Amino acid sequence: MGRGITRRARSVCDRGGTRSNLVSLWETRGETLKIDERISETTLTVPALLASQGQPVLDTSEVRWFATGPLPDDVVAWFARQKSIAAVEERCDTYLLRGIEGTGVKYRNQRVLEVKLCHSADANLDLGNGLSAPVLRWLKWRPAELDATWSASGTRRVDVHKVVLTSSFASIDGSVAPHALPGIASVPACKIELAAVEVGDVVAWTLGLEASGPVEARRRVLLDSWRFIAGERPPSCNGSGGRLDVSAAYPDWLERLRSNRLAG
């Protein structure tokens, strides 16, 4: 399934960056998962230094892992049982890389410029079954202004083909439940993403959790949302094939791919 679903995302890039519509149906185990287009991210107040530009900033806390190889069918089936709140999107994002740690610059769907900066790194979040990673707090601008640094000749442009399955949760009265992200800064919320990825001839998949809302409540909503969706041990997430053994944000993972190629 991994190569099949990413092949559609690859065609999005090959068409010159034309944004594809959200996939209307996702077939898993004979069940149809309908798209929930209500899912959005929490928009917070713009920092003072950027207020004059009128740019909204997204403030999130995240963990992410990558695994080499196609996205296993049993992992898709495990995740897709949350069909009532599943959203599916296929797209091609173009990342601009300059080897600057803690910085991410990309064109979402090759159209909308996004910039993210790592604000801080918190202690590891342990989800069990070997999934542990530091919680990174990110500030994001969308749309953003492209600084001259990223137009320099040393900038590398990398197309990343993705098919993304997302579930979202919110903490209401102290209890986490499936819910479209509320877009309210005072409400703790979490988005969990499973994606099949292709970069050139590299096939991989990724699992990411992203929390918004009050900073002090984010670790709890990350854990509670994971526990809600995980149930029994997620299949293949820690198996010998396709192990989620790399903890990194997309830009850092892409830099690692390049370093591994050069070393090889």
Side-chain angles (χ1 to χ4, degrees), residues 100-121:
I100 302 176
E101 187 175 359
T103 302
V105 179
K106 75 178 181 183
Y107 283 98
R108 176 179 288 263
N109 280 312
Q110 298 186 315
R111 296 174 63 184
V112 179
L113 181 66
E114 299 181 3
V115 173
K116 60 188 295 185
L117 300 175
C118 187
H119 175 278
S120 58

Side-chain angles (χ1 to χ4, degrees), residues 96-220:
L96 307 184
L97 303 176
R98 290 189 61 82
I100 302 176
E101 187 175 359
T103 302
V105 179
K106 75 178 181 183
Y107 283 98
R108 176 179 288 263
N109 280 312
Q110 298 186 315
R111 296 174 63 184
V112 179
L113 181 66
E114 299 181 3
V115 173
K116 60 188 295 185
L117 300 175
C118 187
H119 175 278
S120 58
D122 200 356
N124 277 21
L125 183 74
D126 187 356
L127 301 183
N129 296 317
L131 291 178
S132 180
V135 179
L136 303 182
R137 183 178 175 189
W138 294 92
L139 298 180
K140 308 175 186 179
W141 290 264
R142 181 197 306 159
E145 296 294 331
L146 187 60
D147 184 272
T149 302
W150 302 96
S151 301
S153 59
T155 300
R156 294 182 296 109
R157 301 173 69 95
V158 179
D159 287 339
V160 180
H161 314 269
K162 306 175 182 178
V163 177
V164 186
L165 182 63
T166 305
S167 291
S168 61
F169 303 84
S171 179
I172 309 296
D173 297 327
S175 179
V176 164
H179 197 290
L181 297 183
I184 302 173
S186 61
V187 177
C190 179
K191 178 172 67 176
I192 302 181
E193 171 190 293
L194 181 70
V197 177
E198 284 190 10
V199 183
D201 60 355
V202 174
V203 177
W205 58 283
T206 179
L207 174 70
L209 287 75
E210 175 184 300
S212 57
V215 175
E216 65 276 9
R218 292 181 187 175
R219 179 174 288 268
R220 172 53 55 189

Side-chain angles (χ1 to χ4, degrees), residues 16-166:
T18 302
R19 188 187 191 284
S20 66
N21 294 325
L22 288 178
V23 183
S24 59
L25 297 174
W26 177 274
E27 299 295 339
T28 301
R29 294 160 52 192
E31 297 177 335
T32 297
L33 306 184
K34 294 183 178 180
I35 292 170
D36 183 350
E37 297 184 88
R38 299 170 300 165
I39 292 178
S40 60
E41 291 178 298
T42 302
T43 301
L44 304 180
T45 306
V46 181
L49 77 156
L50 293 173
S52 61
Q53 300 184 45
Q55 295 176 315
V57 62
L58 303 172
D59 184 337
T60 61
S61 296
E62 307 175 19
V63 289
R64 179 175 295 279
W65 296 268
F66 286 88
T68 302
L71 175 56
D73 289 350
D74 57 346
V75 176
V76 175
W78 159 76
F79 193 87
R81 75 184 192 279
Q82 299 291 329
K83 57 182 179 296
S84 62
I85 46 87
V88 184
E89 181 182 14
E90 61 179 47
R91 67 177 192 264
C92 176
D93 293 340
T94 298
Y95 286 79
L96 307 184
L97 303 176
R98 290 189 61 82
I100 302 176
E101 187 175 359
T103 302
V105 179
K106 75 178 181 183
Y107 283 98
R108 176 179 288 263
N109 280 312
Q110 298 186 315
R111 296 174 63 184
V112 179
L113 181 66
E114 299 181 3
V115 173
K116 60 188 295 185
L117 300 175
C118 187
H119 175 278
S120 58
D122 200 356
N124 277 21
L125 183 74
D126 187 356
L127 301 183
N129 296 317
L131 291 178
S132 180
V135 179
L136 303 182
R137 183 178 175 189
W138 294 92
L139 298 180
K140 308 175 186 179
W141 290 264
R142 181 197 306 159
E145 296 294 331
L146 187 60
D147 184 272
T149 302
W150 302 96
S151 301
S153 59
T155 300
R156 294 182 296 109
R157 301 173 69 95
V158 179
D159 287 339
V160 180
H161 314 269
K162 306 175 182 178
V163 177
V164 186
L165 182 63
T166 305

